[in-house]
Amino acid sequence: MSVTAAAVVLAHADPGGADRWVEVSGLLAVTGLGAAYGRGVHELWARRGAGAVVSRWRAAAFPAGLVVILLAQRGPVHEAAERSLAGHMTQHMILLLVAGPLLAAGGAGLPLTLAAPRRVRTVIARFRAGAAGRWLRRPLNLALVAAGVHTVVLWLWHLPKPYMWAEEDAWIHGVEHLSFTAAAWLLWATVLAPGHRGLGGPATFLLLFAAGMPAAALGAVLTLASAPIYPAGALAGPDPLADQQLAGLIMWIPMDVVMLVAAVAVFLRWMVRLDRSSPADRDLRPSREEIPA
């Protein structure tokens, strides 16, 4: 994750001095992370065959997530984020609802581990074998941690003081974007994991519901507030309250729609699998031998 940290340390400050070094470091880190993932996938496919372990669509999803991170930090999205809270919220939603899920869909755990130095692989193996690692490897435990981290990160950085700290310091802003991307990556990894490693349909449905409700609540707070919550410097336009309300809607509606669509898709897929495992022509009534006397 340290490489990812550098990848998203691309702040909104004017590109000059130390900020230029931050931007260059971020670009190099994104390139390095993509190269490490590609190396790990190549090694897996060389051993097992193309498309094995990590399917082709997963192999395409991870670099797409890295590209989205870069696009969110520069260009029109960055310019909009500089102008208003609503533009800034759009940037956050791109990281949370596009970049994070794409990185999670890439199934990067094994490829990045294979690409890591031997010493790092040894540390990872020891952690997985330890008590904490075994506890986190249980899908339900990991899902609860992911939902909790996602909620804390989302609320923390949208409180007025932390938000202004990030606006005033490039490195803090980078940490903010790192935490958004990492939290979304962790949450969606529990949803998009291969079937044998993920939660069941009902549990995933509840997970998405549990993660979506706090985000909807935060969007509602920003939208329905009767006065600006953030300092005047964070809001734009002749009507600062309108900027804040628009930012709340940008969080509220996309987050709810993505979570709802994903939850329904997961639940329907679970229902289809259940139906296939229990055909309609199968007699589910107990036989005489199974009925207690």
Side-chain angles (χ1 to χ4, degrees), residues 9 15 61 64 68 82 106 137 145 177 188 203 233 254 264:
V9 179
V68 170
E82 285 291 295
R137 285 164 61 187
V145 171
H177 285 188
W188 287 97
V264 171

Side-chain angles (χ1 to χ4, degrees), residues 60-82:
F62 190 83
L66 297 178
V67 171
V68 170
I69 291 174
L70 293 178
L71 293 177
Q73 309 298 333
R74 297 286 96 190
V77 176
H78 167 75
E79 294 172 2
E82 285 291 295

